[in-house]
Amino acid sequence: MMGSTSGMLQRPMIAAVAFAVASVSTELPNKFQPSRPSDHCNAPEALNSHCGDLLPRSESSWVSHISVSKLADLNFVTRIRVPVPNINYYPAPTSSCGSVQNFYSSIVSSPVLLNLYQSAELAKIPKPKPYSNIIPTSPSEDLYKWHLPQANTIDVAGSSECSSAKSKTVVVLLGWLGAKQKHLNKYAEWYTSMGFHAITFTFPMSEILSYQVGGKAEQDVELLANHLADWLEEEHGKNIVFHTFSNTGWLTYGVLLEKFQKQDPSLLGRIRGCIVDSAPVAAPDPQVWASGFSAAFLKKQSIATKGHAVGQYLAQETSMTTKTVAEQKPAVTEAALLLVLEKFFQIVLNLPTVNRRLSDVLGLLSSRQPSCPQLYIYSSADRVIPSQSVESFIEEQRRSGHEVRACNFISTPHVDHFRNDPGLYTSQLTHFFEDCVLQCCKDSS
């Protein structure tokens, strides 16, 4: 029994330790070296928007990281213009952090640590997938995919104002921590069946765990921002709607807003709506971050995927409700992982560079969002994002003058509302688009 428990604990604990070492590594050199006023890119946060412009460019195109779904079935594809701007990658800068950096490198490159990390299955890279000749194959999962409207939704004659408005709108789906493209496909399929373009964007866990300042995570957000800006500028009347998932997608949305403000503030006026699924917590809360990473590590084994049947027991005796909720506790493995991660984030979230970066993004999302309508989808049973935090943020947005709608799914788990109640979920989206985003579609229906 003890041997099996040790084995159960080893993988998530080693994963947490490996992540902790990788995450704080960029802080350690600053503790042992004199400060350098000219160094503007040594913050350890994964979404630092200030570093991309300072890095040298290479000749790689973003095309190798994007694929278009369902091209083989669409004979009308030549009528739809999907821009292919010439956007280059930026190689991650090399570091000269002395003995401390060398010590860190020797640790993370250790065969023992790498084997343990791989055994925890936190950085699996899928095999290359075949695509049409238009899109080159990629050695890893696509950074993001562009999904075209389905053929039967296209108004070739251009007689429908609603169809035309939808064809000029792209819905950007920003995934949760640990989400993969396949998890967002069902959302993209619903949007394309309604006549919208859709983009699915995810951060692979391996990319987050191997984060470096100025590295791929920062390049990814820059890449998406540039692509969206080029698409909007290509033709008058094009618009964006954002659909974010959990705090990871919501923070990514905040970084994109930052980049739009710097590139061209008028782009913010092209954002017609924002849908927030299972978020936000508008403060750096170690417990929330620990719960999110634990759920990403353990996936279906996490209690965060179970929820609890709040609505089912509302009319029953209090003792029955208390007993039901009390029975749903984390397993020993998850409880230990949560403890380690919470202690870890109590330190990391208070590091000056991390805290300052998060404060900038959270401040923008709290007080300087675009004037577009907002829809919040959440649940009282969410074990990662407390419903009280979502409701408090909703009230703040309403007091600020924003048009806000909200729907509490009561008993569904974190980022699992669509799967548990697709009818209610899609009806909320439909009403939001018809009433707030594309009023012309309501008039024509």
Side-chain angles (χ1 to χ4, degrees):
M1 180 65 180
M2 292 297 292
S4 65
T5 302
S6 175
M8 292 171 63
L9 287 170
Q10 182 183 41
R11 290 165 59 181
M13 293 288 284
I14 288 297
V17 172
F19 173 70
V21 171
S23 299
V24 302
S25 62
T26 55
E27 285 295 311
L28 291 177
N30 295 333
K31 305 296 184 181
F32 292 90
Q33 287 189 347
S35 60
R36 292 174 294 175
S38 61
D39 188 358
H40 300 289
C41 277
N42 57 354
E45 56 275 14
L47 297 176
N48 191 331
S49 63
H50 302 290
C51 298
D53 294 337
L54 303 178
L55 303 176
R57 296 177 177 264
S58 68
E59 298 301 322
S60 300
S61 171
W62 63 272
V63 179
S64 63
H65 289 266
I66 180 172
S67 66
V68 179
S69 62
K70 302 182 179 178
L71 284 176
D73 300 329
L74 305 178
N75 56 13
F76 66 94
V77 70
T78 56
R79 303 187 182 192
I80 300 178
R81 299 183 64 192
V82 179
V84 185
N86 183 20
I87 302 174
N88 298 323
Y89 280 107
Y90 308 120
T94 57
S95 175
S96 57
C97 296
S99 59
V100 175
Q101 181 67 26
N102 294 335
F103 174 69
Y104 157 70
S105 300
S106 65
I107 292 178
V108 297
S109 62
S110 166
V112 175
L113 184 57
L114 290 175
N115 289 337
L116 289 172
Y117 169 74
Q118 292 169 357
S119 72
E121 299 182 348
L122 301 182
K124 284 186 174 179
I125 299 178
K127 295 180 180 179
K129 297 179 180 180
Y131 294 98
S132 65
N133 293 332
I134 300 174
I135 306 297
T137 58
S138 172
S140 61
E141 183 171 339
D142 301 298
L143 164 60
Y144 60 91
K145 293 183 180 180
W146 189 296
H147 307 256
L148 297 174
Q150 294 182 12
N152 59 355
T153 66
I154 300 298
D155 179 24
V156 179
S159 58
S160 170
E161 184 181 357
C162 178
S163 295
S164 176
K166 288 181 177 179
S167 68
K168 292 183 178 181
T169 301
V170 59
V171 180
V172 183
L173 296 145
L174 303 175
W176 59 90
L177 181 67
K180 296 182 178 180
Q181 287 292 328
K182 64 180 181 181
H183 298 138
L184 297 183
N185 281 341
K186 59 185 177 183
Y187 300 93
E189 287 172 1
W190 184 83
Y191 280 115
T192 57
S193 72
M194 301 298 291
F196 297 100
H197 293 263
I199 290 178
T200 49
F201 179 91
T202 58
F203 278 118
M205 282 296 293
S206 58
E207 181 177 314
I208 294 178
L209 293 175
S210 61
Y211 166 75
Q212 294 181 8
V213 173
K216 193 172 185 304
E218 295 173 2
Q219 298 167 18
D220 288 352
V221 181
E222 186 81 31
L223 195 67
L224 179 60
N226 291 339
H227 189 185
L228 291 173
D230 287 340
W231 188 78
L232 288 172
E233 293 170 357
E234 183 187 56
E235 182 181 346
H236 178 72
K238 288 187 173 181
N239 302 301
I240 298 179
V241 174
F242 284 96
H243 190 149
T244 75
F245 296 89
S246 193
N247 253 24
T248 298
W250 191 64
L251 290 171
T252 305
Y253 170 56
V255 175
L256 285 167
L257 293 181
E258 272 191 341
K259 293 186 179 299
F260 283 168
Q261 285 183 344
K262 292 178 180 178
Q263 292 179 9
D264 182 0
S266 67
L267 295 175
L268 297 175
R270 311 286 285 277
I271 301 174
R272 290 291 183 258
C274 180
I275 299 142
V276 182
D277 184 320
S278 303
V281 172
D285 188 328
Q287 188 174 5
V288 170
W289 284 62
S291 298
F293 273 84
S294 175
F297 289 158
L298 300 178
K299 297 180 171 57
K300 292 183 179 181
Q301 283 68 47
S302 171
I303 195 173
T305 64
K306 307 298 189 293
H308 50 75
V310 176
Q312 183 178 351
Y313 296 97
L314 286 178
Q316 298 186 15
E317 296 294 333
T318 304
S319 59
M320 177 65 73
T321 305
T322 303
K323 180 180 178 182
T324 303
V325 175
E327 287 174 352
Q328 300 180 2
K329 294 182 177 179
V332 175
T333 304
E334 184 170 7
L337 180 59
L338 284 168
L339 179 62
V340 171
L341 289 172
E342 187 171 348
K343 297 295 184 183
F344 168 70
F345 282 114
Q346 286 175 354
I347 298 173
V348 171
L349 295 179
N350 285 303
L351 293 172
T353 50
V354 175
N355 189 270
R356 183 166 53 252
R357 182 71 180 120
L358 282 174
S359 296
D360 290 343
V361 177
L362 293 172
L364 187 154
L365 288 167
S366 298
S367 59
R368 303 193 305 278
Q369 280 204 55
S371 59
C372 64
Q374 306 170 13
L375 170 63
Y376 293 84
I377 296 174
Y378 65 104
S379 171
S380 297
D382 194 324
R383 294 180 177 272
V384 177
I385 303 293
S387 59
Q388 297 88 341
S389 297
V390 179
E391 291 167 350
S392 174
F393 188 83
I394 289 172
E395 290 305 314
E396 290 180 5
Q397 291 299 295
R398 284 174 174 161
R399 286 194 294 268
S400 299
H402 290 283
E403 181 179 358
V404 179
R405 294 190 175 194
C407 181
N408 186 342
F409 277 59
I410 305 296
S411 60
T412 52
H414 186 63
V415 294
D416 208 16
H417 316 305
F418 186 25
R419 187 177 67 86
N420 280 271
D421 197 340
L424 177 58
Y425 198 97
T426 55
S427 69
Q428 290 292 317
L429 295 180
T430 300
H431 292 319
F432 178 70
F433 273 88
E434 290 182 350
D435 296 341
C436 304
V437 181
L438 301 174
Q439 289 87 349
C440 60
C441 292
K442 185 176 182 179
D443 297 338
S444 63
S445 59

